[in-house]
Amino acid sequence: MNGVCFMALTREEVEHIAQLARLALTEDEKEMFRSQLSAILSYAERLQELDTDAIPPTAHAVDVQGVMRDDVVHPSLPRDAALANAPQAQDGFVIVPTVLEEHA
Amino acid sequence: MDIERLTLVDIKRLLDTGESSAQEITEAYLARIEAVEPHIHAFLTVTADEAREQARQADERRAKGENAPLLGVPLALKDVISTAGVRTTCGSRMLETYVPPFDATVVQRLREAGALFLGKTNTDEFAMGSSTENSAFGATRNPWDTTRVPGGSSGGSAAAVAAAEAPAALGTDTGGSVRQPAALCGVVGLKPTYGRVSRYGLIAYASSLDQIGPLTRTVADAALLLSVIAGHDPLDSTSGQRPVPDYVAALAQADVKGKRLGVVRDWLDTPGLHPGVREAVQTALATYESLGATLVDITLPHSEYGLPVYYLIAPAEASSNLARYDGVLYGHRASQTSDIWDLFAKSRGEGFGPEVKRRIMLGTYALSAGYYDQYYKKAQKVRTLIRRDFEQAFEQVDVVVGPTSPVPAFELGERTDDPIQMYLADIFTLTVNLAGLPGISIPCGFADGLPVGLQLIGRAWDETTLLQIAHVYEQATDWHTRTPSETNA
């Protein structure tokens, strides 16, 4: 692994990524991902060997162009069908915990 | 009826001549599923009642003189492909009870062609894995040796075909997930050009890489299924507008005389390549030469960077795609939560397994402020170099040939503790997804008594040449006719 630095993530960094990803992790998972993600990122460091300053990035390998269609009304998913998989629904709405707090 | 060797082409003939019925053939596969599933676990859901009803309707239609390309032909579908009214789990606790309200476009096209469905096959969770061990519902076992993995992530589909639980199946391939399990299970697996097949209704893993493809017993069957599922779909803006050639008819003109096959010497010299795999591939190359093809040494200098590029881009896309699982509209919802943010985090923490979390974490990191240029953008630039390597190679050759997997089927549990070891299973396949090209794996021998796959890679949109060159090899050899039971007997 000449010229490759070892990317050691800290526990705080793992917790920060988990927070960004909205993932509740157990203490064991945090430690496991800290070491595994460090190893994978170290492996990925070898990309830095390549000079890519003049190389454009590829987002899609095959040419993909924006596609326009006529603005025609199509049948859409009925509300009952759309809600059939919701963990909690009532009167045509999805139930979630309070999102907005009341401020005095 | 020798169900173990039955191809789609055979089944069509049996139905067209009236020698058999859709109901008789469907019952044979359902009986086979019942007999071998306790040992294989290829399926997450078997839709026996629906299959019987569809078979009855197909026989009725045939009795009235109707026909369609796959009328009465049973198939299996990887459980990441949406089926209206039939549970689609992605091998995840997150979607354990999810029932799609619509069909994927490929499912709709197969239905229109008359096909019926035996069930939904096992997969690594959200198609993330190379062994099917990441399924939340237990691993699938390799029909050739049930102590070994079938490969992944379409391991359920590959094992179902190898064990003759279905004559053919659809899988999905993001970094090798059709071709690698096909190789490890001794069947044919085709990944079409990115954009050849609609992804509408395919539950997304990495959207710039995902592609649906067939797993079959023969190249002719792969051509037949591709001809049904290929083509532009207004519901997938990345599906190509190009006309779909007649892949089946093209096989009649298949010839390798004068064709130039590119051999990547670096791949055959890879230290981790199993000697039995190397020998089988070299023998296959000699077979092609004897059939009139010319072998040309080529280099793909950046392919050694394929693995890190893939494991930055695919997780980055996955972390974005899987943000939709928040416990609100569908999927698992945690029960004890304090507020909406807690509900999101706990639902995701409980619903996703370790590999999915690992990739979400990795992708989130690669896209996060301060690291985007260093990881994600860098990977996209190297992706350009990988793509250009192939473009240069195809100025000299018609297809690129090499091993599909560096090793034959490995033991269950052998690689689960070391993600990088597991990722190395796809070292020869994932550059093909990064470049958007079509690739196929066909049986080419055995190593330690386990099947070996030969990978052929074609020019973008030229599945025809790929299928033709694969077909010629298949016609000249009998590896594709071997079945696990004769080996185990």
Side-chain angles (χ1 to χ4, degrees):
Chain A
M1 300 271 278
N2 271 347
V4 173
C5 61
F6 187 75
M7 273 294 309
L9 291 180
T10 65
R11 194 175 183 83
E12 289 67 35
E13 284 175 302
V14 170
E15 286 172 349
H16 175 63
I17 304 164
Q19 157 72 16
L20 291 174
R22 303 275 171 226
L23 270 179
L25 299 182
T26 64
E27 293 306 308
D28 286 351
E29 284 177 321
K30 286 178 196 170
E31 180 46 37
M32 178 178 75
F33 290 142
R34 197 193 60 72
S35 76
Q36 289 177 342
L37 296 181
S38 298
I40 295 165
L41 290 168
S42 298
Y43 189 79
E45 280 298 311
R46 67 182 58 182
L47 296 183
Q48 309 305 331
E49 300 164 11
L50 295 169
D51 178 2
T52 53
D53 286 351
I55 309 295
T58 294
H60 270 95
V62 175
D63 279 341
V64 176
Q65 267 122 36
V67 179
M68 304 296 281
R69 65 164 173 82
D70 293 335
D71 187 14
V72 182
V73 177
H74 293 281
S76 58
L77 202 57
R79 188 159 74 172
D80 288 353
L83 289 174
N85 282 290
Q88 274 189 287
Q90 189 186 314
D91 303 330
F93 294 94
V94 173
I95 299 176
V96 292
T98 309
V99 178
L100 300 171
E101 311 267 334
E102 270 187 60
H103 290 280
Chain B
M1 189 162 57
D2 181 6
I3 189 174
E4 283 189 77
R5 288 195 176 74
L6 219 48
T7 65
L8 297 182
V9 171
D10 293 335
I11 291 173
K12 266 170 66 81
R13 191 187 59 243
L14 290 172
L15 294 172
D16 286 345
T17 58
E19 277 177 74
S20 187
S21 66
Q23 288 172 92
E24 186 186 9
I25 288 167
T26 301
E27 288 303 334
Y29 282 107
L30 290 174
R32 177 84 180 171
I33 288 170
E34 205 173 311
V36 306
E37 265 304 271
H39 315 292
I40 305 295
H41 190 233
F43 284 86
L44 293 178
T45 305
V46 176
T47 51
D49 293 345
E50 291 91 334
R52 288 192 172 104
E53 175 56 22
Q54 288 166 332
R56 196 187 57 73
Q57 289 174 10
D59 286 336
E60 259 178 32
R61 286 177 60 190
R62 281 189 180 268
K64 285 185 213 153
E66 289 179 45
N67 207 346
L70 296 171
L71 185 56
V73 175
L75 300 171
L77 299 167
K78 185 180 183 180
D79 207 21
V80 295
I81 298 172
S82 299
T83 41
V86 174
R87 170 179 100 119
T88 301
T89 68
C90 294
S92 180
R93 292 273 169 228
M94 181 59 85
L95 294 178
E96 190 167 4
T97 60
Y98 172 68
V99 179
F102 62 92
D103 274 332
T105 295
V106 291
V107 174
Q108 198 190 344
R109 288 194 177 165
L110 289 170
R111 281 193 210 282
E112 283 164 11
L116 59 94
F117 303 110
L118 298 163
K120 307 295 292 287
T121 56
N122 201 5
T123 167
D124 286 294
E125 187 175 359
F126 286 98
M128 299 180 193
S130 309
S131 68
T132 321
E133 290 168 291
N134 294 333
S135 168
F137 308 111
T140 296
R141 289 161 183 273
N142 192 312
W144 295 87
D145 177 349
T146 54
T147 67
R148 292 176 183 270
V149 303
S153 63
S154 309
S157 289
V161 176
E165 295 178 79
L170 289 189
T172 62
D173 191 317
T174 305
S177 281
V178 162
R179 290 159 289 155
Q180 185 258 11
L184 270 48
C185 289
V187 300
V188 174
L190 171 68
K191 182 202 97 72
T193 308
Y194 181 84
R196 180 57 95 184
V197 176
S198 168
R199 292 181 296 109
Y200 180 74
L202 162 60
I203 298 178
Y205 159 24
S207 303
S208 82
L209 304 165
D210 293 343
Q211 191 63 193
I212 296 170
L215 292 111
T216 57
R217 307 195 70 81
T218 63
V219 174
D221 282 3
L224 176 61
L225 278 187
L226 182 64
S227 68
V228 172
I229 62 174
H232 178 68
D233 175 14
L235 298 174
D236 174 4
S237 65
T238 64
S239 69
Q241 302 271 2
R242 304 197 176 213
V244 177
D246 188 336
Y247 300 114
V248 177
L251 294 185
Q253 285 98 51
D255 194 352
V256 295
K257 284 195 188 66
K259 296 285 187 203
R260 296 167 67 84
L261 275 52
V263 180
V264 189
R265 284 290 154 204
D266 291 346
W267 288 3
L268 290 173
D269 295 336
T270 300
L273 187 67
H274 187 287
V277 172
R278 183 184 293 120
E279 196 184 321
V281 169
Q282 278 170 338
T283 305
L285 293 173
T287 301
Y288 268 120
E289 250 188 326
S290 72
L291 291 166
T294 305
L295 302 182
V296 181
D297 279 355
I298 58 161
T299 57
L300 298 169
H302 299 95
S303 71
E304 65 171 295
Y305 298 99
L307 193 68
V309 169
Y310 178 86
Y311 280 100
L312 292 170
I313 289 177
E317 294 184 14
S319 71
S320 169
N321 275 326
L322 273 63
R324 72 191 65 178
Y325 303 104
D326 56 8
V328 174
L329 282 176
Y330 39 72
H332 174 76
R333 173 184 287 201
S335 51
Q336 302 291 326
T337 57
S338 54
D339 60 20
I340 189 79
W341 305 107
D342 194 39
L343 181 141
F344 293 160
K346 280 198 181 134
S347 298
R348 292 162 63 76
E350 292 174 5
F352 292 137
E355 184 62 31
V356 173
K357 288 180 189 171
R358 187 152 41 238
R359 294 197 196 185
I360 290 175
M361 293 284 289
L362 187 56
T364 303
Y365 184 73
L367 292 175
S368 65
Y371 298 101
Y372 179 88
D373 283 347
Q374 186 184 347
Y375 291 113
Y376 184 65
K377 198 158 185 198
K378 183 79 183 181
Q380 285 192 318
K381 288 178 163 199
V382 182
R383 185 177 183 182
T384 304
L385 296 174
I386 289 169
R387 196 164 52 93
R388 287 180 184 171
D389 283 352
F390 277 111
E391 282 167 10
Q392 279 161 17
F394 284 120
E395 286 170 14
Q396 304 171 57
V397 299
D398 297 293
V399 293
V400 173
V401 191
T404 306
S405 163
V407 293
F410 44 94
E411 286 178 14
L412 287 154
E414 191 181 316
R415 298 188 178 204
T416 41
D417 291 336
D418 185 347
I420 292 178
Q421 273 305 307
M422 187 68 90
Y423 298 168
L424 284 167
D426 293 328
I427 190 168
F428 300 130
T429 48
L430 40 79
T431 50
V432 179
N433 300 74
L434 291 168
L437 305 173
I440 191 168
S441 180
I442 55 175
C444 75
F446 290 85
D448 297 343
L450 298 162
V452 175
L454 182 74
Q455 181 177 217
L456 303 164
I457 303 163
R459 291 188 180 92
W461 306 107
D462 190 8
E463 285 85 357
T464 301
T465 301
L466 192 64
L467 289 162
Q468 285 176 328
I469 292 178
H471 180 69
V472 168
Y473 177 82
E474 192 182 78
Q475 295 293 299
T477 57
D478 67 354
W479 303 116
H480 64 288
T481 66
R482 307 292 177 87
T483 62
S485 59
E486 75 186 15
T487 312
N488 298 342

